[in-house]
């Protein structure tokens, strides 16, 4: 997708896998996670890959920080609620804490260019309903060993033409 030379904010940075990949092509990445242990792990991993100078690490609550953030696009990887999501035929955004729609709405205050990383069994209709009036969404299935593992929903200028 169109990440090159952008300032990207990432929420729920975890151990840094997505953060590191984006830092390899983006101008500046802001990694946010509420867990200080995960931020320390992400810092270590970023140093291993030589991209720590492109990443700003923040320990904090994205929902509280969002109104102060400036970014061209946001990659959201919100917590899915643990392995319980696999036991559901269809995963609803309401199972996220906070609610997936609330996370998306606060992110729209930063930018309309959003990538939302979700479980493979997410309710596609719910994801489509997140699009702003008159806007589109592109849902991409992510495969590993010929099996769908996750989906990524793209909004705004991140949609392929």
């Amino acid at each position: 997708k169109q990440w090159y030379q952008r300032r990207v904010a990432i929420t729920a940075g975890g151990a840094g896998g997505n953060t590191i990949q984006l830092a390899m092509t983006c101008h500046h990445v802001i990694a946010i996670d509420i867990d200080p242990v995960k931020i320390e792990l992400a810092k270590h991993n970023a140093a291993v890959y030589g991209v720590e100078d492109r990443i700003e690490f923040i320990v904090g609550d994205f929902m509280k920080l969002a109104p102060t953030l400036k970014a061209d696009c946001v990659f959201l990887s919100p917590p899915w609620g643990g392995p319980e999501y696999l036991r559901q035929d269809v995963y609803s955004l309401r199972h996220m804490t906070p609610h997936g729609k609330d996370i998306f709405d606060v992110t729209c205050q930063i930018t309309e260019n959003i990538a939302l990383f979700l479980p493979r069994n997410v309710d596609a209709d719910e994801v489509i309903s997140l699009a702003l009036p008159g806007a589109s969404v592109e849902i991409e299935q992510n495969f590993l060993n010929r099996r769908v593992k996750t989906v990524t929903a793209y909004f705004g200028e991140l949609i392929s033409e």
Side-chain angles (χ1 to χ4, degrees):
K1 298 295 173 183
Q2 306 163 18
W3 300 98
Y4 184 70
Q5 297 250 335
R6 298 215 182 197
R7 181 175 170 93
V8 180
I10 299 179
T11 182
N18 292 320
T19 301
I20 291 163
Q21 290 302 310
L22 287 168
M24 289 182 175
T25 58
C26 297
H27 175 69
H28 183 80
V29 177
I30 304 165
I32 303 165
D33 200 297
I34 203 161
D35 184 343
V37 174
K38 288 181 183 172
I39 288 291
E40 286 305 314
L41 182 57
K43 284 180 181 179
H44 169 79
N45 290 339
V48 168
Y49 285 91
V51 294
E52 69 276 14
D53 60 322
R54 292 176 158 231
I55 304 169
E56 177 183 350
F57 294 95
I58 300 174
V59 176
D61 182 339
F62 175 76
M63 298 298 282
K64 293 178 182 171
L65 293 169
T68 67
L69 295 174
K70 303 282 187 247
D72 300 309
C73 44
V74 176
F75 181 90
L76 292 172
S77 182
W80 301 339
E84 292 83 35
Y85 78 90
L86 288 171
R87 295 187 199 112
Q88 301 169 26
D89 290 333
V90 179
Y91 180 82
S92 173
L93 298 176
R94 75 180 183 296
H95 295 302
M96 294 178 181
T97 303
H99 191 297
K101 180 172 181 356
D102 295 338
I103 297 169
F104 187 84
D105 289 346
V106 77
T107 304
C108 287
Q109 296 172 19
I110 303 167
T111 181
E112 64 180 27
N113 305 317
I114 300 168
L116 182 55
F117 189 67
L118 298 164
R120 65 179 174 237
N121 57 336
V122 70
D123 184 336
D125 289 332
E126 277 188 323
V127 175
I128 292 166
S129 74
L130 294 174
L132 300 173
S136 300
V137 59
E138 178 180 323
I139 299 175
E140 173 183 86
Q141 294 179 318
N142 306 304
F143 286 79
L144 180 65
N145 297 325
R146 293 186 228 155
R147 295 184 59 208
V148 177
K149 290 295 185 181
T150 59
V151 298
T152 308
Y154 297 96
F155 300 86
E157 295 175 8
L158 299 180
I159 295 174
S160 297
E161 296 194 17

